[in-house]
Amino acid sequence: MSDAKIIDGKAFAAKLRTDITAEVSKLKSEHGVTPGLAVILVGEDPASQVYVRNKGKQTLECGMNSYEHKLPAETSEADLLALIAKLNADENVHGILCQLPVPKHINEQAILAAIDPAKDVDGFHVVNAGALATGGEGFAPCTPYGCLMLLKDTLGDLSGKRAVVVGRSNIVGKPMAQLLLKESCTVTIAHSRTRDLPEEVRRADIVVAAVGRPNMIKGDWIAPGATVIDVGINRVEGAEGKMKLVGDVEFETASKVAGAITPVPGGVGPMTIACLLNNTLISACRANGLEVPNLGFDS
């Protein structure tokens, strides 16, 4: 069998950001509305600092307002909750996210619960999780939302396809399964305790890997022609001791069998911030009673 089609998440995300920029421009000129995204970073975690910097840069590039709140690691939970309350009440802020992880003395669930669900563009609030599970109007978490866009762009109609999601986190696994159910897929959530995991994966037309274990899913686990979405981003030691990024799927073997596959890096990763900006645009439209554009699903 020939090598799989490489799903270019970087190119798709760039197009999505271009479409978002056009919609933001229209919102400004026709309605005087500028979407605003507030990002809170508590502490000095190096990876989080990079994410926040990228989010701020891309927010501004799309014509939105970016509000960054960098707080020292010793910030109290009460002070963080007070900032969130202030942002909830600010009409210029349409999206709020608190970069995780937060320092250990702060209750992560309390922080996520304090964000107004209408501004929870990360899609982590229990109200948005419930809306996703019951078919209501809310926000889906950005990474699975981006995965769905890539799947629909690659396969078109997903109805009736058998999907296996490997991983059951609240951030990716569970919402990914809900999104696929909404598309009328037959969905299995598999995880580290699943009996005969390779056999479960082999039954799938669509495999979404989100376990955080480098190269765990091998090529002989994949059904010929299946579509593989690899959410994993793992740093491992490569040749000559240099660190490199790999996914949860062993790309070299899986790409020989799959019909289509996302690379790591350059697959799912770039979609996450693009979908965050899309959710912020949607929030701004809803807040002003305007029609919500359906970006990312137009092919």
Side-chain angles (χ1 to χ4, degrees):
M1 175 173 279
S2 60
D3 285 359
K5 174 195 171 190
I6 305 302
I7 299 171
D8 189 344
K10 197 173 174 184
F12 191 102
K15 181 185 182 301
L16 180 56
R17 289 197 307 273
T18 298
D19 292 345
I20 291 167
T21 304
E23 289 292 335
V24 169
S25 178
K26 207 160 79 172
L27 266 186
K28 287 178 177 176
S29 63
E30 293 179 11
H31 304 283
V33 173
T34 302
L37 174 62
V39 179
I40 304 166
L41 174 63
V42 186
E44 306 287 329
D45 181 80
S48 292
Q49 286 180 323
V50 172
Y51 289 142
V52 166
R53 193 161 60 243
N54 286 341
K55 283 169 184 169
K57 182 170 171 280
Q58 292 186 31
T59 303
L60 293 171
E61 283 171 357
C62 284
M64 298 184 183
N65 289 330
S66 174
Y67 307 101
E68 286 188 10
H69 297 269
K70 294 180 178 175
L71 308 178
E74 59 272 18
T75 299
S76 70
E77 187 175 305
D79 284 349
L80 181 51
L81 289 170
L83 172 60
I84 289 169
K86 189 175 152 195
L87 295 172
N88 282 341
D90 189 338
E91 288 183 2
N92 294 314
V93 173
H94 302 99
I96 303 168
L97 72 88
C98 184
Q99 184 68 45
L100 303 177
V102 288
K104 288 188 168 48
H105 66 277
I106 295 173
N107 182 331
E108 192 175 284
Q109 289 307 315
I111 299 309
L112 295 178
I115 295 171
D116 180 350
K119 296 187 179 188
D120 168 43
V121 286
D122 251 345
F124 295 162
H125 195 288
V126 68
V127 167
N128 282 320
L132 181 58
T134 56
E137 185 182 90
F139 291 111
C142 302
T143 300
Y145 190 33
C147 292
L148 183 68
M149 288 183 186
L150 294 178
L151 280 168
K152 293 195 78 169
D153 184 60
T154 303
L155 296 171
D157 183 17
L158 306 182
S159 178
K161 294 195 181 297
R162 189 183 289 275
V164 168
V165 179
V166 187
R168 51 179 164 175
S169 72
N170 292 335
I171 293 172
V172 181
K174 289 175 189 172
M176 188 74 244
Q178 298 290 356
L179 287 167
L180 289 165
L181 275 174
K182 204 171 171 183
E183 296 295 326
S184 301
C185 291
T186 301
V187 184
T188 299
I189 301 181
H191 44 79
S192 57
R193 301 273 179 98
T194 299
R195 287 183 188 170
D196 200 354
L197 183 57
E199 192 51 42
E200 286 293 340
V201 174
R202 268 183 216 113
R203 296 167 62 202
D205 306 307
I206 294 167
V207 178
V208 181
V211 278
R213 291 190 190 176
N215 296 322
M216 175 185 167
I217 295 170
K218 311 299 183 189
D220 63 3
W221 296 23
I222 307 294
T227 299
V228 179
I229 304 290
D230 191 350
V231 181
I233 299 178
N234 309 287
R235 290 184 189 279
V236 298
E237 199 172 301
E240 298 169 14
K242 288 182 181 170
M243 300 306 285
K244 65 171 185 172
L245 289 180
V246 300
D248 293 346
V249 178
E250 192 176 72
F251 185 84
E252 289 73 17
T253 57
S255 61
K256 298 282 187 287
V257 185
I261 188 168
T262 57
V264 176
V268 173
M271 293 297 296
T272 302
I273 296 180
C275 288
L276 176 71
L277 298 172
N278 194 38
N279 277 349
T280 305
L281 170 64
I282 290 169
S283 177
C285 291
R286 286 179 183 162
N288 289 279
L290 302 170
E291 189 181 343
V292 173
N294 185 34
L295 303 181
F297 297 107
D298 53 1
S299 54

